Amino acid sequence: MTHTVGVLGATGAVGQRFVQLIERTPAFEIGAVTASPDSVGKRYHEAAKWRLDTEIPEAVGELTVRETAPEALPDDLDLLFSSLPSSVAANVESALCEAGYVVSSNSSNDRLAPDVPLTIPEINPEHLGLIEVQREERGWDGALVKNPNCSTITMVPTLSALTQFGVESVQVSTLQAVSGAGYSGVTSMEIIDNAVPHIGGEEDKMETESRKLLGSFDGGELTRLDADVAASCNRIPTLDGHLENVFVSLADDPTAAEVREAMANVPSGDLPSSPETLVHVFGEDAPERPQPRMDRNRGGGMTVSAGGVTATETGVKYNCLAHNTIRGAAGASLLNGELLATEGWI
Ligand code: NAP
């Protein structure tokens, strides 16, 4: 069955990825696109300064960009994908859910709300059950589901492999690509020949979202993972792909080989856009991998790569990498949409 979907913020860095990925997914077809008031009324191909390595899908290119409001959207949309700035999404997404729409969103607002599922389908699909709680508390016919921040989602699949060894604390330092800031986020004067050791709000997102994702849900309430997480986030002049250096203190004392095996064994999903392998692990013979240019497109951009796994006195250290606008944003939200469809929420 094909579901008709809308894309909110369809002209942006993540919105364009949505359009590209949804075009390749038989489960969904795009029936509406929205953007800011500057773009409303233009054809999508005129409004979107397309920056991807494919052509704009023809049918979508001809759609007229709509206002981002419930009254401007057609009633027959089964699902909305949202890549709005969080300041805009904070009001609009609630209004849409109240109007009955199911929204799979990238934006950071409400990710930590106790009744909003923050989901990576391969890691915590059971958290989708929070929709029942949300509908009861908010009186919505629709629903709001979030995927995590791009830097969080890069690290969490590897951390999920380590919970069997007792994760006590996590320190992570990131090297994040410029596309993570959106199309108007970082100017060339700021980033060429430079690195910026601060990304506003990003550290807090990694520290809190990771504990929610790895927490347990008892059908009514969600309890976050009981571990300290400390992050340091840095912007570097790569285009796509966030690289992260992770240091984990563990209760047990696994060898590097045992950690590599645990990461490689994290199961991928069976959704239409699931990659064959969720975590690709490089061995001792390739300590220089993963690298953004070489590894960000692994599994169509949906696979996380890990390498440099080394046992330490307190646990393990390693590096991991994911494509920030695919696995870290549009692809993650698309997978959540496929999970919503598979589980009958739309
Ligand atoms: P972006 O490139 O700046 O795109 C923003 C989109 O929102 C554009 O389509 C823009 O339309 C639209 N928009 C702006 N103001 C609006 C308004 N007042 N009403 C309706 N639409 C409006 O940003 P992005 O990088 O795609 O990020 C989008 C969201 O995803 C953000 O919440 C971001 O935090 C999150 N996210 C991004 C990444 C990433 O790697 N980039 C990863 C994870 C999550 P116009 O073209 O008309 O201005």
Side-chain angles (χ1 to χ4, degrees):
M1 177 180 177
T2 301
H3 293 282
T4 307
V5 304
V7 181
L8 315 178
T11 50
V14 178
Q16 293 188 16
R17 281 287 179 203
F18 267 129
V19 170
Q20 184 188 48
L21 295 179
I22 292 169
E23 170 71 7
R24 299 171 182 171
T25 311
F28 299 130
E29 69 183 4
I30 297 177
V33 289
T34 84
S36 78
D38 288 347
S39 303
V40 171
K42 296 180 185 164
R43 299 268 177 221
Y44 181 72
H45 69 80
E46 293 161 354
K49 294 184 191 75
W50 193 257
R51 290 175 173 92
L52 301 180
D53 55 359
T54 51
E55 297 291 318
I56 299 178
E58 208 179 315
V60 182
E62 289 305 316
L63 291 175
T64 300
V65 177
R66 295 171 185 254
E67 190 191 339
T68 310
E71 60 277 11
L73 292 173
D75 293 334
D76 64 348
L77 300 176
D78 300 316
L79 178 65
L80 299 176
F81 290 109
S82 170
S83 51
L84 295 167
S86 51
S87 55
V88 178
N91 295 323
V92 172
E93 289 179 351
S94 298
L96 289 161
C97 294
E98 206 172 332
Y101 291 101
V102 175
V103 182
S104 175
S105 166
N106 269 292
S107 308
S108 58
N109 55 295
D110 289 317
R111 281 191 191 137
L112 297 177
D115 62 346
V116 173
L118 179 68
T119 316
I120 302 172
E122 299 94 331
I123 305 297
N124 62 338
E126 71 283 2
H127 289 197
L128 220 51
L130 271 173
I131 291 176
E132 305 272 23
V133 179
Q134 185 186 92
R135 284 182 168 167
E136 200 171 319
E137 286 185 0
R138 305 195 188 207
W140 287 347
D141 290 329
L144 180 61
V145 175
K146 295 274 167 175
N147 54 267
N149 182 48
C150 44
S151 51
T152 310
I153 207 168
T154 300
M155 157 177 90
V156 163
T158 57
L159 284 183
S160 78
L162 300 181
T163 53
Q164 63 187 287
F165 305 121
V167 173
E168 292 180 335
S169 66
V170 180
Q171 278 90 46
V172 55
S173 179
T174 69
L175 300 116
Q176 298 183 221
V178 291
S179 63
Y183 279 140
S184 53
V186 189
T187 66
S188 54
M189 289 294 280
E190 276 177 274
I191 201 66
I192 292 174
D193 184 34
N194 205 10
V196 182
H198 175 73
I199 302 176
E202 197 86 352
E203 295 171 357
D204 186 55
K205 288 174 193 165
M206 291 191 83
E207 291 165 1
T208 51
E209 292 175 14
S210 55
R211 296 180 53 229
K212 181 172 179 180
L213 286 156
L214 295 171
S216 52
F217 176 57
D218 67 5
E221 212 173 318
L222 198 145
T223 308
R224 293 187 195 176
L225 179 75
D226 183 17
D228 289 329
V229 182
S232 163
C233 295
N234 304 278
R235 186 78 68 200
I236 61 160
T238 44
L239 190 57
D240 290 314
H242 292 347
L243 178 62
E244 304 183 351
N245 313 125
V246 191
F247 304 77
V248 188
S249 291
L250 299 168
D252 299 342
D253 197 15
T255 63
E258 286 168 337
V259 168
R260 278 195 294 270
E261 189 184 346
M263 288 180 178
N265 284 339
V266 180
S268 187
D270 52 7
L271 298 167
S273 301
S274 302
E276 205 166 299
T277 304
L278 178 58
V279 184
H280 176 89
V281 186
F282 289 98
E284 284 170 310
D285 55 335
E288 75 285 7
R289 304 285 285 278
Q291 295 180 18
R293 224 169 43 199
M294 298 171 86
D295 298 305
R296 61 192 169 203
N297 289 323
R298 188 174 299 281
M302 295 292 268
T303 291
V304 172
S305 297
V309 178
T310 308
T312 64
E313 274 185 24
T314 53
V316 68
K317 64 177 181 176
Y318 59 93
N319 307 313
C320 56
L321 175 135
H323 195 301
N324 54 295
T325 62
I326 302 180
R327 173 46 83 169
S333 199
L334 182 64
L335 275 182
N336 278 344
E338 291 175 350
L339 185 66
L340 284 160
T342 305
E343 298 204 350
W345 293 100
I346 60 169

